[in-house]
Amino acid sequence: MCELTLLHLGICENVNGICKYIRLTPVFFLEVVPPPTGVALVSTGKSTARVTWNSVSKVLLYQVAVRDNDTPGNAPVIRNTSATSMDISNLEPCSFYTVGVSSNNFFLIPGEASDVTYNTATIDPVTTISADYSCTSGMVTVTWDLVFGANSYKARAVDSTGASNNCTSASTSCQITMLKCGETYVVHVTAFSDDCESTSNTTALFETVPCAPAHPQTLHDCSSNVIVYSWQTTNNTLYYVATAVDGTGKVTECRTPDNTCYFTNTGCGQHYKYTVYAVSPDCNTEVSQPEFVRTSPCLPTTVTTGAGCHSDILLTTWDSAAGALSYTVEAQGNTGEIYNCTSSANSCAVTGVPCGEHLSVWIRASNDNCSTDRVLGDIAQTVPCSPLNFSASVDCSQDSVKANWTATIGAIFYIAIAEDQSGNVHSCNSRRTNCLIEGLRCGQNYTASVIGSNLDCNSSASEEVNFTTAPCPPTNIEAFRDCDANHALIVWQNNQLTGLYTAAMEDQSGAQLNCTSNTVNNCKISSLPCGKRYNVTVTYSDGKCPSTSTPIVMNSVPCGPDDVRASVACVTGELTVTWNISVPAENYTTFISRGMGQPLYCNSTRTQCTLGGLLCGSSYRAIVFSTTGTCFSLPSTEVTVQTVPCPPTAVAVAHTCAPDPVPVSWVASDSARHYTAVAVSAGGHRSECTANDTSCSLPGLQCGAVYTIEPCSPYDVSSQLMCGAATAQVSWPPSANAVSYAVRATSNGQNLTCSSLSTNCTLSPVVCGHAYNILVSATDGTCVSNFSAPFKQDQGGFCHFFSLS
């Protein structure tokens, strides 16, 4: 233990030659306290230990310092205690510690320490290491002896620069890869347990395979495709092996003792990879870094050139050439001008080429180093030039136009096009300089142009021209015939605001009639010849071009019949009218009149007509009309005919006693020239006499017989219904000696009667749907004949024609 000694220090000051101490300073001197003895350290656990020591006299406090010798840069851990032992914790496994115990003096200043060293749990290092290097695989196999307690090992190969490659293993060997060529490696092995590790001082040495030949380089000759491959020589080499691999994987080797190989059998368009290694007695070198070479491209094939149908572009296409990175196309035309373009694709467009050119085309392929010779392609031609001097001539055509132009360079044939305002397109084509565009519409405005073609491409269109087709013909033509006025009214649809319309009628002989209009859509043609069949057309003219409609047909008023004749049958009293015709008609109507009363009509499709029911002793006029549709012709020449004389009236017979002759007298009838008297007995005996005056005598009468001189019963009765008037016109032939007639019709209790001096009578009103029994009797003024046989009329409408007998 240190003892404490007190000293006083003074400052001498010279005062009149005498030294005086004017200040005293106390100074203490410390003596060193002895360190503890008997320091010892024992393990109390995996990471704990206890340090003990002997006590030191007069020391009340001790200092314990723990230092980690494996990490000398770290500060020691220091603790103070008044005891003579201390527990140490948190010790690292496989570590080397120094523990120092010091005595503290009165001022707690520690003195010299007593040290003791301590190792935590450890394992032994490996004692033997070997390294087996393989030239083939370029790796080393490291082996070592087994260490007790170790569960893994790490082998480390360190090169001359201090860089290392490692491998680990749980057994006694592992393989280290990725080693550098031409290096000497030192191998260390470290053993590991769960808590610690140990590195052996034993090492092993090995050398890696020599490095590959340095500075490889290639030289390629484009014209011959020969490739020269060279490199830097290496020491201790028997020969070199150079290898070329193409894009398909084909391998070509060259073995040489020199540092150069010549590869002559190379293909066009190939991408070669070149490597080399040296063969030595012990171990071959590594393979050099590859050198890549592209040989000259192959020649392009299937070279085709077309204009691409652009106005100034020449488009060339080809099949890809192996190894080519770009292509150059050259074209030379008739003028000697050269055009070119470059492309990395399979086509190239040369611009600025004039139209209508014929050109020779060449192509060459290139890569980074080489270009092929020029390959000649097919002759090419550009788009034809546009046709010039285009014109369109209508010539009053409604549906076509003639296109004309001047021939142009490069065109084989031409296409002329006409387009209307609605976008409808019509065209024609020709190898000459004109063609006819058909199928146009009348009265339309068109825009026309022409293009040239070489069968592959079309030129641009020529300058456009405008034209208008001839005006459309009038439509909806109608011809109205006025039979009474004998004129035709021609009507059409008026589509134009200006111009002149002409309506024409032409018969089969070519004779024409016409009328014109420029303000309305109709005109009238008068005084038409009868019996003509006309083609009717309407023509419109705009002052330049006429346009005629499609003809329609119209018949004029039919001609009246010629040579009309009339005759009366004496027995039946029927009137027959005959005639001739020059132009056939559909029907004929005969008009018969005696100047008073209702006229009679007879219709026929033939050239004669027969009509009964005329009044006896009358004079009738007959006129015949031809009819076509609803149109009547002009009347024929009128003829007059005399009907059968009426029977005498007031017949009287003088009674005589003698048997014969018996005189008969009567009142003369109109128009009669001769008379015949007839007497009929009840037994049927008949006696007649004739005279030119009003009496005669009946010879040969039988005695005792009763004779009757009276009219006969009517026969051959006919009836014609009048639909609108609900009447029936009944007629019959005249009966001998009759001066008047009576008609009776009965139906369902209804009685209709009429009487007449002539051979016809009108019944009214006739009821629709009723059936009538009609009877006719005759009288001579004194005697009345029997009724005609009754006729049972069928039920039905009263607009039926029926006859009674």
Side-chain angles (χ1 to χ4, degrees):
M1 185 175 186
C2 295
E3 294 183 358
L4 179 65
T5 302
L6 178 64
L7 297 178
H8 292 277
L9 298 178
I11 299 174
C12 180
E13 184 179 291
N14 187 3
V15 178
N16 297 322
I18 300 174
C19 180
K20 283 186 167 183
Y21 291 98
I22 60 176
R23 181 182 298 151
L24 294 177
T25 301
V27 178
F28 293 91
F29 291 94
L30 298 177
E31 293 183 2
V32 178
V33 180
T37 59
V39 177
L41 192 147
V42 296
S43 174
T44 59
K46 192 173 183 180
S47 60
T48 58
R50 173 173 291 178
V51 59
T52 59
W53 58 88
N54 298 325
S55 63
V56 179
S57 174
K58 300 182 181 180
V59 173
L60 301 177
L61 194 65
Y62 301 92
Q63 177 180 283
V64 178
V66 180
R67 292 181 177 85
D68 186 351
N69 295 331
D70 294 329
T71 56
N74 294 342
V77 178
I78 298 175
R79 296 287 187 272
N80 292 325
T81 182
S82 59
T84 57
S85 66
M86 180 179 288
D87 290 327
I88 302 171
S89 61
N90 297 323
L91 298 176
E92 294 292 333
C94 296
S95 298
F96 181 56
Y97 292 94
T98 298
V99 179
V101 181
S102 301
S103 300
N104 288 338
N105 61 16
F106 181 81
F107 297 99
L108 301 180
I109 297 174
E112 182 181 355
S114 295
D115 293 330
V116 63
T117 60
Y118 177 73
N119 287 330
T120 57
T122 62
I123 58 172
D124 294 330
V126 298
T127 57
T128 60
I129 300 173
S130 64
D132 183 12
Y133 178 73
S134 171
C135 296
T136 303
S137 62
M139 65 182 180
V140 62
T141 301
V142 180
T143 59
W144 54 86
D145 59 318
L146 188 66
V147 174
F148 179 76
N151 52 24
S152 64
Y153 304 87
K154 179 171 74 173
R156 190 162 54 93
V158 183
D159 63 15
S160 58
T161 65
S164 63
N165 293 52
N166 304 323
C167 68
T168 59
S169 174
S171 63
T172 57
S173 67
C174 67
Q175 294 175 328
I176 300 176
T177 59
M178 306 294 292
L179 301 174
K180 298 179 182 178
C181 64
E183 276 284 354
T184 299
Y185 282 89
V186 178
V187 179
H188 303 271
V189 176
T190 300
F192 296 90
S193 66
D194 292 335
D195 299 325
C196 59
E197 64 182 53
S198 63
T199 301
S200 174
N201 292 330
T202 303
T203 60
L205 299 177
F206 70 92
E207 292 183 355
T208 58
V209 63
C211 291
H215 305 299
Q217 59 183 1
T218 55
L219 179 64
H220 174 233
D221 180 64
C222 293
S223 60
S224 64
N225 262 343
V226 172
I227 298 175
V228 181
Y229 183 41
S230 61
W231 54 88
Q232 194 175 66
T233 59
T234 56
N235 295 329
N236 195 26
T237 297
L238 299 177
Y239 60 89
Y240 300 91
V241 178
T243 302
V245 182
D246 65 14
T248 65
K250 181 182 177 182
V251 177
T252 303
E253 278 191 353
C254 169
R255 297 173 183 266
T256 177
D258 302 322
N259 66 334
T260 302
C261 272
Y262 296 87
F263 292 86
T264 58
N265 192 25
T266 57
C268 66
Q270 292 293 331
H271 188 204
Y272 286 97
K273 181 179 77 171
Y274 288 92
T275 57
V276 64
Y277 65 90
V279 176
S280 62
D282 297 326
C283 213
N284 297 340
T285 67
E286 289 184 333
V287 177
S288 66
Q289 290 296 318
E291 286 288 308
F292 297 95
V293 178
R294 291 183 184 272
T295 59
S296 296
C298 296
L299 297 176
T301 58
T302 318
V303 182
T304 304
T305 302
C309 297
H310 301 287
S311 58
D312 62 347
I313 296 177
L314 194 69
L315 183 64
T316 301
T317 60
W318 56 86
D319 290 342
S320 297
L325 299 179
S326 64
Y327 304 87
T328 301
V329 175
E330 293 181 1
Q332 186 172 12
N334 300 330
T335 61
E337 186 76 19
I338 295 178
Y339 311 92
N340 55 60
C341 65
T342 301
S343 173
S344 59
N346 286 33
S347 63
C348 191
V350 177
T351 59
V353 185
C355 62
E357 275 273 34
H358 283 71
L359 305 103
S360 298
V361 180
W362 294 272
I363 185 173
R364 69 173 78 239
S366 303
N367 60 18
D368 294 336
N369 302 314
C370 303
S371 297
T372 65
D373 294 332
R374 294 196 308 175
V375 176
L376 179 63
D378 296 334
I379 297 297
Q381 56 183 349
T382 56
V383 174
C385 297
S386 298
L388 302 175
N389 302 323
F390 178 68
S391 64
S393 176
V394 176
D395 291 335
C396 290
S397 172
Q398 297 174 0
D399 60 358
S400 65
V401 63
K402 187 175 183 181
N404 297 275
W405 58 88
T406 302
T408 187
I409 300 174
I412 297 176
F413 73 101
Y414 303 89
I415 302 172
I417 299 171
E419 182 176 357
D420 65 17
Q421 296 174 338
S422 299
N424 300 309
V425 175
H426 304 268
S427 65
C428 65
N429 57 73
S430 173
R431 290 183 176 271
R432 297 178 294 178
T433 57
N434 60 76
C435 67
L436 185 67
I437 304 176
E438 298 179 298
L440 307 181
R441 293 193 298 167
C442 58
Q444 292 289 314
N445 295 323
Y446 285 88
T447 300
S449 61
V450 64
I451 59 175
S453 177
N454 59 11
L455 299 181
D456 293 323
C457 294
N458 298 333
S459 72
S460 57
S462 68
E463 182 179 0
E464 291 183 341
V465 297
N466 297 317
F467 68 90
T468 303
T469 52
C472 295
T475 58
N476 298 332
I477 309 301
E478 293 183 280
F480 298 98
R481 179 180 59 186
D482 188 334
C483 299
D484 295 333
N486 192 26
H487 68 239
L489 179 65
I490 314 300
V491 180
W492 58 89
Q493 185 168 332
N494 187 3
N495 296 319
Q496 305 297 332
L497 300 178
T498 60
L500 180 67
Y501 289 90
T502 300
M505 300 177 63
E506 183 177 351
D507 64 19
Q508 294 175 341
S509 67
Q512 278 194 353
L513 302 171
N514 55 58
C515 61
T516 61
S517 174
N518 58 3
T519 57
V520 294
N521 64 334
N522 64 82
C523 68
K524 185 185 297 182
I525 299 177
S526 303
S527 301
L528 302 181
C530 67
K532 296 292 186 181
R533 185 177 180 86
Y534 286 99
N535 285 332
V536 182
T537 58
V538 179
T539 300
Y540 169 77
S541 176
D542 60 0
K544 298 178 182 178
C545 297
S547 179
T548 302
S549 69
T550 302
I552 64 172
V553 176
M554 189 200 83
N555 293 319
S556 67
V557 174
C559 293
D562 297 328
D563 193 19
V564 178
R565 298 183 183 185
S567 62
V568 175
C570 294
V571 176
T572 63
E574 292 179 329
L575 172 65
T576 299
V577 182
T578 62
W579 56 87
N580 292 328
I581 56 172
S582 58
V583 177
E586 295 177 0
N587 293 287
Y588 301 93
T589 298
T590 302
F591 177 85
I592 302 169
S593 173
R594 66 186 183 96
M596 57 184 299
Q598 292 293 325
L600 301 176
Y601 297 93
C602 178
N603 294 323
S604 174
T605 59
R606 299 180 298 168
T607 57
Q608 72 172 34
C609 190
T610 300
L611 182 67
L614 303 182
L615 295 178
C616 62
S618 298
S619 179
Y620 283 88
R621 293 179 294 110
I623 301 173
V624 183
F625 296 88
S626 300
T627 59
T628 302
T630 61
C631 189
F632 285 82
S633 71
L634 297 177
S636 68
T637 303
E638 181 179 282
V639 295
T640 303
V641 67
Q642 193 73 26
T643 59
V644 174
C646 291
T649 59
V651 178
V653 179
H655 182 72
T656 62
C657 296
D660 66 315
V662 175
V664 179
S665 63
W666 55 84
V667 177
S669 61
D670 294 338
S671 72
R673 295 181 182 179
H674 302 280
Y675 300 91
T676 299
V678 179
V680 180
S681 71
H685 179 260
R686 180 184 181 95
S687 176
E688 294 181 3
C689 67
T690 62
N692 292 330
D693 52 11
T694 59
S695 67
C696 71
S697 295
L698 294 170
L701 297 180
Q702 295 177 348
C703 62
V706 177
Y707 287 87
T708 301
I709 302 174
E710 62 180 28
C712 297
S713 298
Y715 65 97
D716 197 14
V717 176
S718 65
S719 177
Q720 184 175 0
L721 293 177
M722 304 301 178
C723 301
T727 61
Q729 182 76 27
V730 182
S731 61
W732 54 90
S735 297
N737 298 331
V739 294
S740 64
Y741 302 90
V743 179
R744 185 175 67 184
T746 60
S747 174
N748 297 329
Q750 182 189 15
N751 293 315
L752 299 177
T753 61
C754 68
S755 60
S756 175
L757 297 177
S758 65
T759 58
N760 59 74
C761 188
T762 302
L763 292 171
S764 68
V766 177
V767 179
C768 176
H770 285 198
Y772 290 89
N773 289 327
I774 300 176
L775 306 169
V776 182
S777 65
T779 181
D780 60 2
T782 302
C783 301
V784 178
S785 73
N786 294 325
F787 279 107
S788 63
F791 177 78
K792 179 73 171 180
Q793 180 189 353
D794 292 336
Q795 271 194 321
F798 55 76
C799 290
H800 289 232
F801 179 83
F802 58 91
S803 62
L804 303 174
S805 57

